[in-house]
């Protein structure tokens, strides 16, 4: 979660010298070689902060062409699965993972109530990767089952990593696509805790499945994905395998809500 960026190639050439006199033996010259152009990244996620709206969100701007059919490569944080086979692990949260997560003493769950998952997934680059996620211990095994089914279906996921504290206060860039679960934050536009703060909700490919409420679109550059009739990789639509996999463990999908419509969001508690 598609148009690739167009690389601009620069060429230099020398025009031949034409003479009208007797043929001349050319002197030996060295033609300078043109260095290969450096790879141009298709898009640098998080590089450009958006102007802010009065509600604190970024301004909703047109989707850049390179993101209209999103297919960015995945950066590996963990070793890929052996033999391209699904692997899922459930463990207590390691201290170093907890330290780089959004968990703190004031969160509505204790660290002991969370579990650290590693999960295989297919990237938009067609390669198998290993992601990480924090979830409530009560749903950990069920979540592994769901992502095993998504892996079998080759449903593409761009990124899957634990959300860092700095992301909660960073200026919005509107281009994120991280599949994540536990985030210790209130529900959007509210003061009560989100289901994410309990580790009971997962957002899947947010850019491909944006949240909408009134004129607000989140991520703010994802408006191209409001056309749900144009099916692209990473999109979740009614009755598909993603919805079925979460429904099978008793989770609900925010794409069925009227307002807000939270197409990325699955939750164990219906919130």
């Amino acid at each position: 979660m598609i148009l690739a960026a167009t690389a601009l190639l620069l060429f230099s050439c020398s025009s031949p010298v034409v003479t009208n006199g007797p043929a001349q033996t050319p002197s030996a010259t060295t033609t300078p070689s043109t260095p290969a152009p450096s790879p141009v990244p298709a898009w640098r996620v998080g590089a450009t902060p958006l102007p802010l709206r009065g509600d604190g969100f970024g301004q909703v701007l047109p989707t850049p062409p390179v993101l209209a059919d999103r297919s960015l490569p995945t950066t590996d944080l963990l070793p890929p699965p052996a033999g391209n086979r699904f692997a899922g692990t459930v463990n207590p949260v390691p201290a170093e993972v907890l330290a780089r997560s959004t968990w703190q003493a004031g969160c509505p769950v204790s660290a002991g109530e969370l579990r650290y998952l590693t999960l295989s997934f297919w990237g938009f680059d067609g390669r198998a990767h290993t992601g990480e996620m924090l979830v409530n211990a009560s749903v950990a095994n069920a979540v592994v089952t769901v992502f095993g089914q998504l892996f079998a279906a080759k449903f593409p996921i761009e990124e899957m990593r634990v959300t860092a504290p700095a992301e909660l206060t960073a200026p919005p860039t509107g281009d994120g696509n991280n599949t994540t679960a536990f985030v210790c934050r209130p529900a959007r536009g509210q003061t009560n805790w989100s289901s994410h703060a309990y580790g009971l909700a997962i957002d899947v490919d947010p850019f491909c499945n944006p949240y909408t409420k009134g004129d607000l679109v989140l991520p703010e550059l994802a408006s191209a994905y409001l056309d749900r009739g144009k099916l692209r990789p990473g999109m979740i639509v009614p009755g598909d395998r993603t919805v079925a996999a979460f429904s099978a463990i008793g989770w609900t999908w925010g794409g069925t809500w009227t307002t807000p419509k939270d197409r990325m969001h699955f939750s164990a508690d219906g919130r």
Side-chain angles (χ1 to χ4, degrees):
M1 60 305 226
I2 300 177
L3 302 176
T6 302
L8 177 65
L9 303 180
L10 303 178
F11 294 91
S12 61
C13 59
S14 300
S15 299
V17 176
V18 179
T19 64
N20 293 322
Q24 304 291 318
T25 301
S27 60
T29 59
T30 301
T31 303
S33 60
T34 303
S38 300
V40 178
W43 184 265
R44 288 182 57 210
V45 176
T48 308
L50 296 172
L52 295 181
R53 298 165 30 131
D55 56 11
F57 293 107
Q59 288 186 12
V60 176
L61 300 177
T63 304
V66 69
L67 299 181
D69 291 296
R70 188 163 177 148
S71 185
L72 302 183
T74 296
T75 299
D76 285 312
L77 302 178
L78 297 170
N84 289 341
R85 295 187 298 272
F86 178 78
T89 67
V90 179
N91 288 292
V93 184
E96 64 87 11
V97 175
L98 192 67
R100 60 181 170 85
S101 78
T102 59
W103 185 86
Q104 54 185 315
C107 295
V109 290
S110 67
E113 293 176 276
L114 297 173
R115 291 294 180 268
Y116 178 65
L117 310 186
T118 63
L119 301 164
S120 306
F121 67 92
W122 290 100
F124 285 80
D125 52 15
R127 297 170 51 227
H129 303 274
T130 301
E132 59 173 10
M133 186 179 294
L134 298 181
V135 300
N136 195 289
S138 65
V139 300
N141 290 326
V143 169
V144 172
T145 297
V146 167
F147 280 90
Q149 293 176 10
L150 298 189
F151 187 85
K154 290 199 169 183
F155 178 84
I157 294 172
E158 182 179 319
E159 185 178 18
M160 187 191 297
R161 58 173 177 75
V162 172
T163 300
E167 296 179 70
L168 299 183
T169 55
T173 59
D175 55 356
N177 204 23
N178 182 35
T179 294
T180 192
F182 173 78
V183 184
C184 191
R185 64 167 175 80
R188 298 188 193 280
Q190 301 180 38
T191 56
N192 57 295
W193 289 112
S194 164
S195 294
H196 288 283
Y198 296 88
L200 294 174
I202 298 174
D203 288 344
V204 178
D205 283 340
F207 196 90
C208 306
N209 302 288
Y211 167 105
T212 50
K213 184 177 182 180
D215 65 350
L216 178 63
V217 179
L218 297 174
E220 293 94 337
L221 297 182
S223 294
Y225 278 90
L226 298 183
D227 180 0
R228 307 308 283 178
K230 181 184 177 183
L231 192 60
R232 285 151 284 178
M235 289 175 60
I236 301 165
V237 295
D240 70 6
R241 293 188 179 184
T242 306
V243 174
F246 278 101
S247 294
I249 66 168
W251 286 38
T252 58
W253 177 40
T256 63
W257 303 348
T258 302
T259 183
K261 189 169 284 291
D262 203 348
R263 301 166 183 85
M264 67 185 82
H265 184 82
F266 292 91
S267 64
D269 58 5
R271 297 187 296 115

